[in-house]
Each structure stands twice: as structure tokens, then as C-alpha cells.
Amino acid sequence: MSSTTYLVTGTTGGLGEAAVRALVERGVPAEHVVATARDTSRLQGAGGLAELGVTVRALDYTDPASISAALEGIDRVLLVSSNALGQRTTQHRAVIEAAAAAGVDLLAYTSIANAGTTTMLLAGEHQETEQLIVESGLPHTFLRNSWYFENHTGQLAVQLEHGALLGATGGASYNPAARADYGDAAAAALLLDSPAEAYELGGAALTLEQLAAVVTEVTGTAVAYVDVPEAELEKVLLGAGLPAQLAHTLAEADSGLGRGELQVDPAVLEGLIGRPATSAEDAVRAALAALPQA
């Protein structure tokens, strides 16, 4: 492990940052970890990843030359999926092709749970990317992440203001985990001699009604889950300023949660990271602590 070099893309995002921190925490010498971003200035300064002693390199998914340069001397790569809906497959292809040209030992990709079967709109570009990786012939592992707690706890201020957590899941359970859990799982997989081809990852089963009850308990402010039709949720997201494509995709994803399309066995994540996944209580406490103090 000590001589292997690891590169993580998209490290100005929460998942990529968590993976870099987890690699170092799991014993990888900081000088053998490369954190990349389109804007590397965001990795510098107080609290930035550069403080860990990791190498910082520029990597822009839309600039193949930057990708090739960043991959120089790299053994294992974690490709953190882009957040540019509609452009992800093209951006990911550029990294896959550069990784193949560089002859990396392993390409790990942060995909979506049940990518082989789910029909969620959100899954389409993940499925296309997985296919490209398979066709590349690269040794690979797919980190198929279920829902993120942060998708809901990131809206904690709004929930507290309105006393409501809005969704379109029909009350079905799903398997959320925190970004830190998924980042740790990615690091753990990168460090395995022969990781599995795919890991279906998520935490303990939870409904949004149960999550609202946890929000109420942790914050002391009554918050109820309000289930609405997918079309109404989409209107709410549009009203909140989300772009049309993103609002439509996220609303449809809630319906996908309702169909059980991201349900997984929580033992897989816990087995990979070697500890219990983040609880709903801890996820809400973290979100509450991050809110601006009055």
C-alpha cells in the first residue's frame, strides 16, 4: 500500500473530499494521495485538503489534457461522478479514456444503487458510465451509492421554518447514508487487493416520516413528513430555483425511492467500512450544527 498512488477526482465536493480524508485516515501516506479539482484554489487555505499534505493537481472533466497530466504516475483512480446532469457521460468518458491510456491498476466509480436494474432517470448516466468502464477493459469496482442523508438534511433550515419535510416517496423506506460513509467506503475499496466488481451501498432502512420524527426530536421543532404527488414536488423544486431538468429528475427520484429502487442491504456498507453507518440522529445533528447561529 505504501508505494501505491491514489487519485481522487472532484475533491471540492463532499464525497471526493471525504474519500481523500478517509484514504489518509486509513494509513495511506499523504504524499501518495492526489486530490484533484477544476479550481485547485478551493483545496488550499484553512481547512482545505492541501493541509493534509496530499498532492493537489488540476483536473477538469472537460479538458482531456488536464486529465492526462493529472493521471501521470497514478496507480488507482476514484472517479467521483460529475454533478453536471446531461453532460456526465461525456465527462466521465474523458477520464475513463485517460485512465486506460495511463494503464492504471484500478478505476473505481461512484455510481448509483442497483444500477443494473433501476429505472430512475437519475441512473441513466451512471449506467452509461458503468458500460463505458466495462468496455474499456480496465480493472474496476463500482461503488453503487444509495441516497445521501444530505439530500434531505441539507434542507434542514427550510424544514424547520415550515415545519414540514416534503417528499413523494409514498411512505416507502429507503437506505440513506452520509457522504462521509460513502467516501470511507470508496477509500476502503481502493485499498483492497481485489475489490468486488460492485458494492450496493446504503445505511439502515428509514422512511421520510421517521426522518421527520428524528428532526423533531433532535431540534426540538415539530417537523412532519408531507407526502405529495411527484408533479407537485417538481413544482416546489422549480419554485425553489432549481433548473427544470434537475427539478424533474429529483422529483422522479423521490418516486423511485417510493418504488424501492434504491433499497440495499446495509450490511454491505458496514462490512466494507468496518463500522456502523451514520445514524439518522447523527446526520441531523451534523446538519443542525452547520446551520448559521442566530
Short mmCIF file of all heavy atoms in Angstrom, two decimals, residues 62-109:
data_model
loop_
_atom_site.label_atom_id
_atom_site.label_comp_id
_atom_site.label_asym_id
_atom_site.label_seq_id
_atom_site.Cartn_x
_atom_site.Cartn_y
_atom_site.Cartn_z
N THR A 62 -13.80 18.50 -18.53
CA THR A 62 -14.00 18.95 -19.92
C THR A 62 -12.68 19.25 -20.62
O THR A 62 -12.69 19.72 -21.75
CB THR A 62 -14.89 20.20 -19.95
OG1 THR A 62 -14.21 21.30 -19.32
CG2 THR A 62 -16.21 19.97 -19.24
N ASP A 63 -11.55 18.99 -19.96
CA ASP A 63 -10.24 19.30 -20.52
C ASP A 63 -9.38 18.03 -20.51
O ASP A 63 -8.70 17.74 -19.52
CB ASP A 63 -9.57 20.40 -19.70
CG ASP A 63 -8.19 20.78 -20.21
OD1 ASP A 63 -7.75 20.21 -21.24
OD2 ASP A 63 -7.53 21.62 -19.57
N PRO A 64 -9.39 17.25 -21.58
CA PRO A 64 -8.65 15.98 -21.62
C PRO A 64 -7.16 16.13 -21.30
O PRO A 64 -6.57 15.24 -20.67
CB PRO A 64 -8.86 15.49 -23.05
CG PRO A 64 -10.17 16.09 -23.46
CD PRO A 64 -10.18 17.45 -22.82
N ALA A 65 -6.56 17.24 -21.71
CA ALA A 65 -5.13 17.43 -21.42
C ALA A 65 -4.88 17.50 -19.93
O ALA A 65 -3.89 16.95 -19.42
CB ALA A 65 -4.63 18.69 -22.12
N SER A 66 -5.77 18.17 -19.21
CA SER A 66 -5.60 18.28 -17.75
C SER A 66 -5.77 16.91 -17.09
O SER A 66 -5.11 16.61 -16.09
CB SER A 66 -6.60 19.29 -17.16
OG SER A 66 -7.91 18.75 -17.08
N ILE A 67 -6.65 16.10 -17.65
CA ILE A 67 -6.88 14.76 -17.07
C ILE A 67 -5.63 13.90 -17.26
O ILE A 67 -5.16 13.25 -16.32
CB ILE A 67 -8.10 14.10 -17.73
CG1 ILE A 67 -9.36 14.95 -17.51
CG2 ILE A 67 -8.31 12.71 -17.14
CD1 ILE A 67 -10.56 14.48 -18.31
N SER A 68 -5.09 13.90 -18.45
CA SER A 68 -3.89 13.10 -18.73
C SER A 68 -2.72 13.53 -17.85
O SER A 68 -1.98 12.69 -17.32
CB SER A 68 -3.50 13.22 -20.21
OG SER A 68 -4.52 12.68 -21.04
N ALA A 69 -2.55 14.84 -17.69
CA ALA A 69 -1.46 15.34 -16.85
C ALA A 69 -1.65 14.94 -15.39
O ALA A 69 -0.70 14.55 -14.71
CB ALA A 69 -1.37 16.86 -16.97
N ALA A 70 -2.88 15.01 -14.91
CA ALA A 70 -3.16 14.68 -13.51
C ALA A 70 -2.91 13.21 -13.23
O ALA A 70 -2.51 12.84 -12.11
CB ALA A 70 -4.60 15.05 -13.17
N LEU A 71 -3.12 12.35 -14.23
CA LEU A 71 -3.00 10.90 -14.03
C LEU A 71 -1.57 10.40 -14.12
O LEU A 71 -1.32 9.20 -13.91
CB LEU A 71 -3.86 10.17 -15.06
CG LEU A 71 -5.37 10.21 -14.82
CD1 LEU A 71 -6.11 9.59 -16.00
CD2 LEU A 71 -5.73 9.49 -13.54
N GLU A 72 -0.64 11.26 -14.40
CA GLU A 72 0.76 10.83 -14.53
C GLU A 72 1.26 10.22 -13.22
O GLU A 72 1.17 10.83 -12.15
CB GLU A 72 1.65 12.01 -14.91
CG GLU A 72 3.09 11.62 -15.19
CD GLU A 72 3.93 12.79 -15.68
OE1 GLU A 72 3.35 13.82 -16.06
OE2 GLU A 72 5.16 12.65 -15.69
N GLY A 73 1.74 8.99 -13.31
CA GLY A 73 2.28 8.31 -12.13
C GLY A 73 1.25 7.75 -11.18
O GLY A 73 1.61 7.32 -10.07
N ILE A 74 0.00 7.68 -11.57
CA ILE A 74 -1.08 7.23 -10.70
C ILE A 74 -1.37 5.74 -10.91
O ILE A 74 -1.41 5.25 -12.04
CB ILE A 74 -2.37 8.05 -10.95
CG1 ILE A 74 -2.13 9.52 -10.62
CG2 ILE A 74 -3.53 7.48 -10.16
CD1 ILE A 74 -1.75 9.78 -9.16
N ASP A 75 -1.58 5.02 -9.81
CA ASP A 75 -1.90 3.60 -9.87
C ASP A 75 -3.40 3.33 -9.80
O ASP A 75 -3.92 2.52 -10.56
CB ASP A 75 -1.21 2.85 -8.72
CG ASP A 75 0.30 2.94 -8.79
OD1 ASP A 75 0.85 2.61 -9.85
OD2 ASP A 75 0.92 3.36 -7.79
N ARG A 76 -4.09 4.02 -8.89
CA ARG A 76 -5.51 3.75 -8.68
C ARG A 76 -6.30 5.06 -8.68
O ARG A 76 -5.85 6.05 -8.11
CB ARG A 76 -5.74 2.98 -7.38
CG ARG A 76 -5.15 1.57 -7.43
CD ARG A 76 -5.60 0.70 -6.28
NE ARG A 76 -5.37 -0.72 -6.61
CZ ARG A 76 -5.96 -1.74 -6.02
NH1 ARG A 76 -6.84 -1.52 -5.03
NH2 ARG A 76 -5.72 -2.99 -6.39
N VAL A 77 -7.46 5.03 -9.32
CA VAL A 77 -8.25 6.24 -9.51
C VAL A 77 -9.65 6.05 -8.94
O VAL A 77 -10.29 5.01 -9.17
CB VAL A 77 -8.37 6.59 -11.01
CG1 VAL A 77 -9.31 7.79 -11.22
CG2 VAL A 77 -6.99 6.88 -11.60
N LEU A 78 -10.12 7.05 -8.22
CA LEU A 78 -11.53 7.12 -7.84
C LEU A 78 -12.17 8.21 -8.69
O LEU A 78 -11.87 9.40 -8.52
CB LEU A 78 -11.71 7.45 -6.36
CG LEU A 78 -13.16 7.70 -5.93
CD1 LEU A 78 -14.02 6.47 -6.15
CD2 LEU A 78 -13.23 8.15 -4.47
N LEU A 79 -13.04 7.80 -9.59
CA LEU A 79 -13.79 8.74 -10.42
C LEU A 79 -15.09 9.06 -9.69
O LEU A 79 -16.01 8.25 -9.65
CB LEU A 79 -14.07 8.13 -11.80
CG LEU A 79 -15.04 8.89 -12.72
CD1 LEU A 79 -14.63 10.34 -12.92
CD2 LEU A 79 -15.17 8.16 -14.05
N VAL A 80 -15.14 10.25 -9.12
CA VAL A 80 -16.36 10.72 -8.46
C VAL A 80 -17.27 11.30 -9.53
O VAL A 80 -16.85 12.16 -10.30
CB VAL A 80 -16.04 11.77 -7.38
CG1 VAL A 80 -17.32 12.32 -6.77
CG2 VAL A 80 -15.15 11.17 -6.30
N SER A 81 -18.48 10.82 -9.59
CA SER A 81 -19.38 11.22 -10.68
C SER A 81 -19.58 12.73 -10.71
O SER A 81 -19.71 13.38 -9.67
CB SER A 81 -20.72 10.51 -10.56
OG SER A 81 -21.32 10.77 -9.32
N SER A 82 -19.62 13.26 -11.89
CA SER A 82 -19.88 14.69 -12.10
C SER A 82 -21.30 15.03 -11.67
O SER A 82 -22.19 14.17 -11.66
CB SER A 82 -19.68 15.02 -13.59
OG SER A 82 -20.21 16.28 -13.90
N ASN A 83 -21.52 16.29 -11.34
CA ASN A 83 -22.88 16.73 -10.99
C ASN A 83 -23.55 17.48 -12.14
O ASN A 83 -24.60 18.09 -11.96
CB ASN A 83 -22.87 17.61 -9.73
CG ASN A 83 -22.03 18.86 -9.89
OD1 ASN A 83 -21.55 19.17 -10.98
ND2 ASN A 83 -21.85 19.60 -8.81
N ALA A 84 -22.93 17.42 -13.32
CA ALA A 84 -23.47 18.13 -14.49
C ALA A 84 -24.44 17.22 -15.24
O ALA A 84 -24.05 16.52 -16.18
CB ALA A 84 -22.33 18.59 -15.40
N LEU A 85 -25.70 17.23 -14.82
CA LEU A 85 -26.70 16.38 -15.46
C LEU A 85 -26.74 16.66 -16.96
O LEU A 85 -26.71 17.80 -17.40
CB LEU A 85 -28.08 16.65 -14.86
CG LEU A 85 -28.37 16.10 -13.47
CD1 LEU A 85 -29.79 16.45 -13.05
CD2 LEU A 85 -28.16 14.59 -13.42
N GLY A 86 -26.81 15.58 -17.73
CA GLY A 86 -26.85 15.71 -19.17
C GLY A 86 -25.47 15.75 -19.81
O GLY A 86 -25.35 15.57 -21.03
N GLN A 87 -24.44 15.98 -19.01
CA GLN A 87 -23.07 16.03 -19.52
C GLN A 87 -22.16 14.99 -18.87
O GLN A 87 -21.00 14.87 -19.23
CB GLN A 87 -22.48 17.43 -19.26
CG GLN A 87 -23.29 18.56 -19.85
CD GLN A 87 -22.75 19.92 -19.41
OE1 GLN A 87 -21.55 20.15 -19.40
NE2 GLN A 87 -23.65 20.81 -19.01
N ARG A 88 -22.72 14.26 -17.92
CA ARG A 88 -21.88 13.38 -17.12
C ARG A 88 -21.20 12.29 -17.95
O ARG A 88 -20.01 12.01 -17.76
CB ARG A 88 -22.72 12.73 -16.02
CG ARG A 88 -23.30 13.70 -15.02
CD ARG A 88 -24.45 13.06 -14.27
NE ARG A 88 -24.14 12.93 -12.86
CZ ARG A 88 -24.97 12.43 -11.95
NH1 ARG A 88 -26.16 12.01 -12.33
NH2 ARG A 88 -24.63 12.35 -10.70
N THR A 89 -21.94 11.64 -18.80
CA THR A 89 -21.36 10.53 -19.55
C THR A 89 -20.17 10.99 -20.39
O THR A 89 -19.11 10.35 -20.41
CB THR A 89 -22.41 9.88 -20.46
OG1 THR A 89 -23.52 9.44 -19.67
CG2 THR A 89 -21.82 8.69 -21.19
N THR A 90 -20.31 12.13 -21.06
CA THR A 90 -19.21 12.67 -21.86
C THR A 90 -18.01 13.01 -20.98
O THR A 90 -16.86 12.70 -21.32
CB THR A 90 -19.68 13.93 -22.61
OG1 THR A 90 -20.73 13.57 -23.50
CG2 THR A 90 -18.53 14.54 -23.41
N GLN A 91 -18.28 13.63 -19.84
CA GLN A 91 -17.19 13.99 -18.93
C GLN A 91 -16.50 12.75 -18.38
O GLN A 91 -15.27 12.68 -18.31
CB GLN A 91 -17.72 14.87 -17.81
CG GLN A 91 -18.21 16.24 -18.29
CD GLN A 91 -18.70 17.12 -17.15
OE1 GLN A 91 -18.66 16.73 -15.99
NE2 GLN A 91 -19.16 18.31 -17.49
N HIS A 92 -17.29 11.77 -17.99
CA HIS A 92 -16.71 10.54 -17.44
C HIS A 92 -15.91 9.79 -18.50
O HIS A 92 -14.86 9.20 -18.19
CB HIS A 92 -17.82 9.64 -16.90
CG HIS A 92 -18.59 10.24 -15.76
ND1 HIS A 92 -19.83 9.79 -15.37
CD2 HIS A 92 -18.30 11.28 -14.94
CE1 HIS A 92 -20.26 10.49 -14.35
NE2 HIS A 92 -19.35 11.40 -14.07
N ARG A 93 -16.40 9.80 -19.74
CA ARG A 93 -15.68 9.11 -20.81
C ARG A 93 -14.25 9.65 -20.94
O ARG A 93 -13.30 8.88 -21.15
CB ARG A 93 -16.41 9.26 -22.14
CG ARG A 93 -15.69 8.55 -23.30
CD ARG A 93 -16.34 8.82 -24.64
NE ARG A 93 -17.61 8.11 -24.78
CZ ARG A 93 -18.80 8.69 -24.80
NH1 ARG A 93 -18.88 10.03 -24.70
NH2 ARG A 93 -19.89 7.98 -24.93
N ALA A 94 -14.10 10.95 -20.78
CA ALA A 94 -12.76 11.54 -20.90
C ALA A 94 -11.82 11.00 -19.83
O ALA A 94 -10.64 10.73 -20.10
CB ALA A 94 -12.87 13.07 -20.79
N VAL A 95 -12.33 10.81 -18.61
CA VAL A 95 -11.49 10.27 -17.54
C VAL A 95 -11.19 8.79 -17.79
O VAL A 95 -10.06 8.33 -17.60
CB VAL A 95 -12.17 10.45 -16.17
CG1 VAL A 95 -11.32 9.84 -15.06
CG2 VAL A 95 -12.42 11.94 -15.89
N ILE A 96 -12.19 8.05 -18.23
CA ILE A 96 -12.01 6.62 -18.49
C ILE A 96 -10.96 6.41 -19.58
O ILE A 96 -10.06 5.56 -19.44
CB ILE A 96 -13.35 5.99 -18.90
CG1 ILE A 96 -14.34 6.04 -17.74
CG2 ILE A 96 -13.15 4.54 -19.36
CD1 ILE A 96 -15.79 5.81 -18.14
N GLU A 97 -11.05 7.17 -20.65
CA GLU A 97 -10.09 7.02 -21.75
C GLU A 97 -8.68 7.38 -21.29
O GLU A 97 -7.70 6.70 -21.66
CB GLU A 97 -10.52 7.89 -22.92
CG GLU A 97 -11.79 7.38 -23.61
CD GLU A 97 -12.26 8.28 -24.74
OE1 GLU A 97 -11.73 9.41 -24.85
OE2 GLU A 97 -13.16 7.86 -25.50
N ALA A 98 -8.56 8.43 -20.49
CA ALA A 98 -7.23 8.81 -20.00
C ALA A 98 -6.68 7.77 -19.03
O ALA A 98 -5.48 7.46 -19.05
CB ALA A 98 -7.31 10.18 -19.30
N ALA A 99 -7.56 7.20 -18.21
CA ALA A 99 -7.11 6.17 -17.27
C ALA A 99 -6.65 4.92 -18.02
O ALA A 99 -5.66 4.28 -17.65
CB ALA A 99 -8.24 5.82 -16.31
N ALA A 100 -7.36 4.57 -19.08
CA ALA A 100 -6.96 3.42 -19.88
C ALA A 100 -5.62 3.68 -20.55
O ALA A 100 -4.74 2.79 -20.59
CB ALA A 100 -8.03 3.12 -20.93
N ALA A 101 -5.44 4.89 -21.08
CA ALA A 101 -4.17 5.23 -21.73
C ALA A 101 -3.02 5.22 -20.73
O ALA A 101 -1.89 4.86 -21.09
CB ALA A 101 -4.29 6.61 -22.39
N ALA A 102 -3.32 5.60 -19.49
CA ALA A 102 -2.28 5.64 -18.45
C ALA A 102 -2.01 4.26 -17.87
O ALA A 102 -1.02 4.07 -17.15
CB ALA A 102 -2.69 6.59 -17.34
N GLY A 103 -2.89 3.29 -18.14
CA GLY A 103 -2.69 1.94 -17.64
C GLY A 103 -2.84 1.81 -16.14
O GLY A 103 -2.08 1.08 -15.49
N VAL A 104 -3.81 2.50 -15.55
CA VAL A 104 -3.98 2.44 -14.10
C VAL A 104 -4.38 1.03 -13.68
O VAL A 104 -4.96 0.26 -14.45
CB VAL A 104 -5.03 3.46 -13.61
CG1 VAL A 104 -4.63 4.88 -14.01
CG2 VAL A 104 -6.42 3.13 -14.12
N ASP A 105 -4.07 0.70 -12.43
CA ASP A 105 -4.33 -0.65 -11.91
C ASP A 105 -5.79 -0.86 -11.57
O ASP A 105 -6.28 -2.00 -11.58
CB ASP A 105 -3.50 -0.89 -10.64
CG ASP A 105 -2.01 -0.83 -10.90
OD1 ASP A 105 -1.59 -1.04 -12.06
OD2 ASP A 105 -1.26 -0.56 -9.94
N LEU A 106 -6.49 0.23 -11.21
CA LEU A 106 -7.89 0.10 -10.80
C LEU A 106 -8.60 1.43 -11.02
O LEU A 106 -8.06 2.49 -10.70
CB LEU A 106 -7.99 -0.27 -9.31
CG LEU A 106 -9.41 -0.41 -8.75
CD1 LEU A 106 -10.09 -1.68 -9.29
CD2 LEU A 106 -9.40 -0.44 -7.22
N LEU A 107 -9.81 1.35 -11.55
CA LEU A 107 -10.67 2.52 -11.67
C LEU A 107 -11.94 2.25 -10.87
O LEU A 107 -12.70 1.33 -11.18
CB LEU A 107 -11.03 2.79 -13.13
CG LEU A 107 -11.99 3.97 -13.38
CD1 LEU A 107 -11.39 5.28 -12.90
CD2 LEU A 107 -12.36 4.07 -14.86
N ALA A 108 -12.14 3.03 -9.82
CA ALA A 108 -13.35 2.93 -9.01
C ALA A 108 -14.26 4.08 -9.41
O ALA A 108 -13.81 5.19 -9.69
CB ALA A 108 -13.01 3.02 -7.53
N TYR A 109 -15.57 3.80 -9.44
CA TYR A 109 -16.54 4.81 -9.88
C TYR A 109 -17.71 4.87 -8.91
O TYR A 109 -18.27 3.85 -8.53
CB TYR A 109 -17.05 4.48 -11.28
CG TYR A 109 -18.19 5.37 -11.73
CD1 TYR A 109 -18.00 6.74 -11.89
CD2 TYR A 109 -19.46 4.85 -11.94
CE1 TYR A 109 -19.05 7.56 -12.28
CE2 TYR A 109 -20.52 5.67 -12.34
CZ TYR A 109 -20.30 7.02 -12.49
OH TYR A 109 -21.33 7.84 -12.86
#
